[in-house]
Amino acid sequence: QVQLVESGGGSVQAGGSLTLSCAASGTTFDGRGMGWYRQAQGNECHLVASIGPDGSTHYEDAAKGRFTLSQDNAKNTVYLQMSSLEPEDTGLYYCAAARVCFLPLTNSDYAFWGQGTQVTVSS
């Protein structure tokens, strides 16, 4: 059974940084893409960043230049480094493991989800 456990969320002031981690068990990253979603209060989840099995990455426009997604295959962990955080980055961040063997870009590309970790950015 695939389990994804996020950590690293917290409260920071605008301009600060956080690194989110997602530890996977029951699966490996070989041939599987991963992603990070954000759900702001009252809003739908949307894709913030994703990485394909070949290491290719995708970022939403607001994340480009500020967020970096990486993975450590030996630790079966994927990271989202976030810098220059803004209040608009506030939300519940979910890690997701894809069902597809290419860069996952849509909700239907993902099969497994973590419980989420809260990020709150104050102005």
Side-chain angles (χ1 to χ4, degrees):
Q1 183 177 357
V2 176
Q3 285 192 317
L4 304 174
V5 179
E6 302 96 334
S7 61
S11 297
V12 296
Q13 290 192 325
S17 300
L18 284 174
T19 296
L20 307 183
S21 300
C22 172
S25 61
T27 187
T28 66
F29 295 147
D30 289 343
R32 183 192 295 278
M34 299 291 294
W36 284 94
Y37 276 74
R38 176 175 65 243
Q39 182 181 31
Q41 189 172 10
N43 294 334
E44 294 183 355
C45 286
H46 73 272
L47 183 64
V48 175
S50 60
I51 186 167
D54 61 353
S56 58
T57 54
H58 164 80
Y59 298 93
E60 65 167 351
D61 287 345
K64 291 177 181 176
R66 300 189 301 125
F67 293 6
T68 302
L69 194 158
S70 61
Q71 63 186 41
D72 185 332
N73 291 342
K75 295 183 178 180
N76 236 22
T77 300
V78 63
Y79 305 95
L80 185 66
Q81 296 175 277
M82 306 185 293
S83 61
S84 302
L85 284 163
E86 303 167 353
E88 292 74 20
D89 297 318
T90 293
L92 189 60
Y93 283 72
Y94 294 93
C95 173
R99 66 174 85 244
V100 298
C101 58
F102 47 83
L103 181 64
L105 297 175
T106 66
N107 295 354
S108 61
D109 291 338
Y110 293 92
F112 305 99
W113 300 80
Q115 295 298 308
T117 185
Q118 178 68 35
V119 171
T120 303
V121 184
S122 57
S123 57

